[in-house]
PDB file of all heavy atoms in Angstrom:
ATOM      1  N   ILE A 562      -0.320  14.604  -5.309  1.00 98.00           N
ATOM      2  CA  ILE A 562      -1.693  15.146  -5.191  1.00 98.00           C
ATOM      3  C   ILE A 562      -1.827  15.957  -3.897  1.00 98.00           C
ATOM      4  O   ILE A 562      -2.408  17.045  -3.890  1.00 98.00           O
ATOM      5  CB  ILE A 562      -2.731  14.002  -5.226  1.00 98.00           C
ATOM      6  CG1 ILE A 562      -2.763  13.359  -6.608  1.00 98.00           C
ATOM      7  CG2 ILE A 562      -4.113  14.500  -4.806  1.00 98.00           C
ATOM      8  CD1 ILE A 562      -3.580  12.078  -6.695  1.00 98.00           C
ATOM      9  N   LEU A 563      -1.267  15.425  -2.812  1.00 98.00           N
ATOM     10  CA  LEU A 563      -1.370  16.153  -1.529  1.00 98.00           C
ATOM     11  C   LEU A 563      -0.643  17.487  -1.606  1.00 98.00           C
ATOM     12  O   LEU A 563      -1.094  18.484  -1.032  1.00 98.00           O
ATOM     13  CB  LEU A 563      -0.815  15.292  -0.388  1.00 98.00           C
ATOM     14  CG  LEU A 563      -1.726  14.135   0.034  1.00 98.00           C
ATOM     15  CD1 LEU A 563      -0.985  13.174   0.949  1.00 98.00           C
ATOM     16  CD2 LEU A 563      -2.991  14.649   0.726  1.00 98.00           C
ATOM     17  N   SER A 564       0.462  17.506  -2.329  1.00 98.00           N
ATOM     18  CA  SER A 564       1.163  18.798  -2.434  1.00 98.00           C
ATOM     19  C   SER A 564       0.336  19.758  -3.290  1.00 98.00           C
ATOM     20  O   SER A 564       0.249  20.946  -2.994  1.00 98.00           O
ATOM     21  CB  SER A 564       2.598  18.626  -2.902  1.00 98.00           C
ATOM     22  OG  SER A 564       2.673  18.564  -4.288  1.00 98.00           O
ATOM     23  N   ASP A 565      -0.341  19.254  -4.333  1.00 98.00           N
ATOM     24  CA  ASP A 565      -1.248  20.113  -5.137  1.00 98.00           C
ATOM     25  C   ASP A 565      -2.361  20.674  -4.252  1.00 98.00           C
ATOM     26  O   ASP A 565      -2.644  21.877  -4.272  1.00 98.00           O
ATOM     27  CB  ASP A 565      -1.950  19.299  -6.243  1.00 98.00           C
ATOM     28  CG  ASP A 565      -1.030  18.874  -7.357  1.00 98.00           C
ATOM     29  OD1 ASP A 565       0.086  19.396  -7.453  1.00 98.00           O
ATOM     30  OD2 ASP A 565      -1.438  17.980  -8.131  1.00 98.00           O
ATOM     31  N   LEU A 566      -3.022  19.782  -3.504  1.00 98.00           N
ATOM     32  CA  LEU A 566      -4.174  20.220  -2.689  1.00 98.00           C
ATOM     33  C   LEU A 566      -3.729  21.243  -1.652  1.00 98.00           C
ATOM     34  O   LEU A 566      -4.436  22.214  -1.363  1.00 98.00           O
ATOM     35  CB  LEU A 566      -4.827  19.025  -1.987  1.00 98.00           C
ATOM     36  CG  LEU A 566      -5.503  17.976  -2.881  1.00 98.00           C
ATOM     37  CD1 LEU A 566      -6.070  16.838  -2.033  1.00 98.00           C
ATOM     38  CD2 LEU A 566      -6.617  18.590  -3.723  1.00 98.00           C
ATOM     39  N   THR A 567      -2.538  21.026  -1.099  1.00 98.00           N
ATOM     40  CA  THR A 567      -2.045  21.908  -0.044  1.00 98.00           C
ATOM     41  C   THR A 567      -1.649  23.269  -0.600  1.00 98.00           C
ATOM     42  O   THR A 567      -1.984  24.308  -0.026  1.00 98.00           O
ATOM     43  CB  THR A 567      -0.828  21.242   0.646  1.00 98.00           C
ATOM     44  OG1 THR A 567      -1.245  19.976   1.131  1.00 98.00           O
ATOM     45  CG2 THR A 567      -0.292  22.086   1.785  1.00 98.00           C
ATOM     46  N   ILE A 568      -0.960  23.255  -1.735  1.00 97.00           N
ATOM     47  CA  ILE A 568      -0.410  24.516  -2.255  1.00 97.00           C
ATOM     48  C   ILE A 568      -1.429  25.246  -3.147  1.00 97.00           C
ATOM     49  O   ILE A 568      -1.650  26.442  -3.002  1.00 97.00           O
ATOM     50  CB  ILE A 568       0.893  24.243  -3.043  1.00 97.00           C
ATOM     51  CG1 ILE A 568       1.937  23.669  -2.089  1.00 97.00           C
ATOM     52  CG2 ILE A 568       1.420  25.520  -3.687  1.00 97.00           C
ATOM     53  CD1 ILE A 568       3.115  23.047  -2.786  1.00 97.00           C
ATOM     54  N   GLU A 569      -2.037  24.483  -4.065  1.00 97.00           N
ATOM     55  CA  GLU A 569      -2.955  25.128  -5.030  1.00 97.00           C
ATOM     56  C   GLU A 569      -4.407  25.108  -4.547  1.00 97.00           C
ATOM     57  O   GLU A 569      -5.253  25.782  -5.123  1.00 97.00           O
ATOM     58  CB  GLU A 569      -2.935  24.398  -6.393  1.00 97.00           C
ATOM     59  CG  GLU A 569      -1.581  23.932  -6.882  1.00 97.00           C
ATOM     60  CD  GLU A 569      -0.718  25.065  -7.380  1.00 97.00           C
ATOM     61  OE1 GLU A 569      -1.250  26.176  -7.534  1.00 97.00           O
ATOM     62  OE2 GLU A 569       0.496  24.850  -7.563  1.00 97.00           O
ATOM     63  N   GLY A 570      -4.722  24.235  -3.621  1.00 97.00           N
ATOM     64  CA  GLY A 570      -6.115  24.059  -3.210  1.00 97.00           C
ATOM     65  C   GLY A 570      -6.885  23.142  -4.145  1.00 97.00           C
ATOM     66  O   GLY A 570      -8.084  22.898  -3.965  1.00 97.00           O
ATOM     67  N   GLU A 571      -6.212  22.603  -5.174  1.00 98.00           N
ATOM     68  CA  GLU A 571      -6.868  21.694  -6.126  1.00 98.00           C
ATOM     69  C   GLU A 571      -5.793  20.897  -6.858  1.00 98.00           C
ATOM     70  O   GLU A 571      -4.601  21.211  -6.745  1.00 98.00           O
ATOM     71  CB  GLU A 571      -7.693  22.485  -7.149  1.00 98.00           C
ATOM     72  CG  GLU A 571      -6.851  23.463  -7.922  1.00 98.00           C
ATOM     73  CD  GLU A 571      -7.656  24.331  -8.889  1.00 98.00           C
ATOM     74  OE1 GLU A 571      -8.886  24.263  -8.878  1.00 98.00           O
ATOM     75  OE2 GLU A 571      -7.015  25.076  -9.647  1.00 98.00           O
ATOM     76  N   THR A 572      -6.232  19.874  -7.584  1.00 98.00           N
ATOM     77  CA  THR A 572      -5.275  19.081  -8.368  1.00 98.00           C
ATOM     78  C   THR A 572      -5.907  18.784  -9.718  1.00 98.00           C
ATOM     79  O   THR A 572      -7.147  18.706  -9.825  1.00 98.00           O
ATOM     80  CB  THR A 572      -4.931  17.756  -7.649  1.00 98.00           C
ATOM     81  OG1 THR A 572      -4.009  17.013  -8.454  1.00 98.00           O
ATOM     82  CG2 THR A 572      -6.157  16.895  -7.382  1.00 98.00           C
ATOM     83  N   ASN A 573      -5.069  18.625 -10.751  1.00 97.00           N
ATOM     84  CA  ASN A 573      -5.678  18.225 -12.034  1.00 97.00           C
ATOM     85  C   ASN A 573      -5.709  16.711 -12.184  1.00 97.00           C
ATOM     86  O   ASN A 573      -6.123  16.186 -13.199  1.00 97.00           O
ATOM     87  CB  ASN A 573      -4.997  18.912 -13.231  1.00 97.00           C
ATOM     88  CG  ASN A 573      -3.518  18.613 -13.280  1.00 97.00           C
ATOM     89  OD1 ASN A 573      -3.062  17.651 -12.652  1.00 97.00           O
ATOM     90  ND2 ASN A 573      -2.762  19.419 -14.001  1.00 97.00           N
ATOM     91  N   MET A 574      -5.318  15.997 -11.139  1.00 98.00           N
ATOM     92  CA  MET A 574      -5.410  14.538 -11.167  1.00 98.00           C
ATOM     93  C   MET A 574      -6.880  14.153 -10.882  1.00 98.00           C
ATOM     94  O   MET A 574      -7.542  14.789 -10.057  1.00 98.00           O
ATOM     95  CB  MET A 574      -4.512  13.964 -10.086  1.00 98.00           C
ATOM     96  CG  MET A 574      -3.460  13.027 -10.570  1.00 98.00           C
ATOM     97  SD  MET A 574      -1.994  13.733 -11.306  1.00 98.00           S
ATOM     98  CE  MET A 574      -0.968  14.158  -9.967  1.00 98.00           C
TER      99      MET A 574
END
Side-chain angles (χ1 to χ4, degrees):
I562 292 170
L563 286 168
S564 85
D565 289 346
L566 294 179
T567 303
I568 297 166
E569 320 286 349
E571 59 184 6
T572 179
N573 58 18
M574 238 79 83

